Amino acid sequence: MRLFGKDLSKDIAVVAEIGLNHEGDPEAAMRMLKLAAEAGADAIKFQTYTTHRHVSSADPERVARLQRFALQEDAFRRLVHEGEQLGVTVFSTPLSEDVVPFLDTLCPVFKIASGDLTFEPVVRAAARTGKPVVLSTGMATVEEIDTAVDWIREERGTDGLADGLLLMHCVSAYPTPPEQANLRSIPFLADRYGVTVGYSNHVPGSEAMLAAVALGAPVVEVHFTDRREGRTFRDHHLSLEPAELSALVGSLRAIRTMLGTHGKPVAEAEEAGRQTNRKGVVAARELPSGTVLADTDMQYGRPATDFTAAERPLLIGRRLTRSLKAGEIIPRDAVA
């Protein structure tokens, strides 16, 4: 799968989730975007919605906050343009289905939030665009994920899943207790659905993200802010600051490089040591030329430049064509 300009079979992509941390301030959103790009993020995600189609009127305080935090369309266009200039992908989570057409004009990928995995209208609308869908699985049962994947399959066809659907293992608890991160869900989801599986983090610290990459996740999403101190909005306190994101990106890329391929090949760096670090056959004592070798004439010692330890039985009964000192490697050209 290719996503965010990366071949996910070889590379890792780090998504900085700014979300609503800009708190409705376009300049703050732009500042955070630039900081995330400088820190090494490959993609930067926001949230887009129509307030009255995202939340009910039951909680007036929440409604007022979401109205205040919503970015206007022109502001988001500027963010997308800035991302293009900086070489990072800017995209958004549609939190109401009516904003999908707008985002479709700007974003190369859609992210479906965990809370909307069971919300058929937005899942189908995003899939219908033909663009890759990143589907977060927090709070979901396997049966609910099955259903959401089926909706996408119905819109895209089975062939459209391998390169068009990225599942994200996620635990939607803020913060997530480390013992409940259940990172083994990553290989489980990959096996069950046959698609690429990434990880969206809510565990404090970086350990869960490092482990997720070691378990095969080629995409990691982490909340990002310019600063946590003095902020009251919850998401800031779950977010990494620029220096922390930069350090994380370096660590994740290093781990991805270390993973290699499935199997047990001999590493290029090991080739020289295959002889020097393995035992060969040496003379157990001083052996004159013409000696017919017996088992007691031989012992083992590094390096295995001629006869290996496993070849010792093959030397029994062979004749030396020259004399050898005690401990000397028995060379192939000295055996008849």
Side-chain angles (χ1 to χ4, degrees):
M1 184 179 192
R2 289 196 64 86
L3 201 62
F4 311 127
K6 302 282 187 176
D7 179 348
L8 299 184
S9 67
K10 301 176 182 178
D11 299 321
I12 187 167
V14 179
V15 178
E17 159 71 281
I18 292 175
L20 299 179
N21 277 345
H22 51 75
E23 300 184 38
D25 181 351
E27 296 308 312
M30 186 66 74
R31 181 176 66 252
M32 292 180 193
L33 166 63
K34 293 176 179 178
L35 288 170
E38 290 172 2
D42 301 292
I44 296 157
K45 189 176 78 65
F46 294 90
Q47 295 178 359
T48 305
Y49 54 87
T50 300
T51 303
H52 72 273
R53 299 183 68 155
H54 174 39
V55 294
S56 73
S57 60
D59 185 347
E61 183 177 341
R62 186 182 186 193
V63 170
R65 183 177 68 248
L66 286 170
Q67 287 177 333
R68 188 170 68 252
F69 283 10
L71 285 176
Q72 299 303 307
E73 290 184 356
D74 284 347
F76 187 69
R77 285 191 185 95
R78 289 195 296 273
L79 292 170
V80 171
H81 177 72
E82 184 65 22
E84 291 171 351
Q85 302 305 305
L86 294 172
V88 297
T89 300
V90 174
F91 67 115
S92 188
T93 295
L95 294 177
S96 57
E97 74 279 13
D98 62 303
V99 301
V100 170
F102 165 67
L103 294 177
D104 191 29
T105 66
L106 296 170
C107 300
V109 59
F110 284 87
K111 167 71 186 292
I112 304 299
S114 290
D116 286 335
L117 178 138
T118 59
F119 182 42
E120 184 175 0
V122 79
V123 174
R124 285 192 181 273
R128 203 174 295 130
T129 66
K131 293 179 178 178
V133 173
V134 179
L135 181 64
S136 204
T137 61
M139 302 180 291
T141 65
V142 169
E143 292 75 20
E144 289 170 335
I145 300 171
D146 287 347
T147 298
V149 171
D150 283 343
W151 292 336
I152 296 170
R153 183 183 290 109
E154 289 169 7
E155 298 292 342
R156 303 282 289 273
T158 299
D159 293 342
L161 292 186
D163 61 357
L165 174 61
L166 172 71
L167 292 178
M168 297 289 278
H169 171 54
C170 174
V171 177
S172 296
Y174 306 89
T176 297
E179 67 275 11
Q180 296 184 38
N182 205 52
L183 296 175
R184 286 187 175 138
S185 290
I186 294 168
F188 167 78
L189 292 171
D191 289 343
R192 182 176 181 86
Y193 299 103
V195 299
T196 304
V197 179
Y199 175 60
S200 182
N201 183 61
H202 297 119
V203 178
S206 61
E207 290 89 350
M209 291 176 281
L210 301 176
V213 171
L215 283 167
V219 178
V220 169
E221 180 182 78
V222 59
H223 287 262
F224 178 78
T225 186
D226 54 349
R227 62 179 173 84
R228 291 186 294 269
E229 186 178 358
R231 296 289 178 67
T232 57
F233 180 48
R234 177 197 68 179
D235 285 8
H236 289 290
H237 302 285
L238 296 167
S239 302
L240 297 186
E241 294 182 354
E244 295 167 328
L245 178 61
S246 180
L248 174 69
V249 169
S251 296
L252 293 177
R253 297 205 191 292
I255 290 174
R256 180 63 183 86
T257 300
M258 296 175 198
L259 293 183
T261 58
H262 186 71
K264 185 61 177 73
V266 175
E268 182 180 345
E270 293 180 304
E271 287 291 350
R274 282 169 60 82
Q275 288 186 340
T276 58
N277 292 325
R278 289 180 170 174
K279 294 290 196 302
V281 183
V282 303
R285 56 185 176 80
E286 187 174 333
L287 299 173
S289 178
T291 297
V292 176
L293 292 171
D295 187 59
T296 54
D297 294 326
M298 297 174 284
Q299 63 184 35
Y300 304 113
R302 292 181 179 181
T305 54
D306 286 81
F307 292 101
T308 67
E311 293 177 300
R312 177 172 173 168
L314 303 178
L315 289 170
I316 296 173
R318 306 274 295 274
R319 182 175 58 84
L320 290 179
T321 59
R322 64 179 175 84
S323 61
L324 299 175
K325 297 177 181 178
E328 185 176 349
I329 292 170
I330 299 179
R332 290 185 181 274
D333 63 6
V335 178

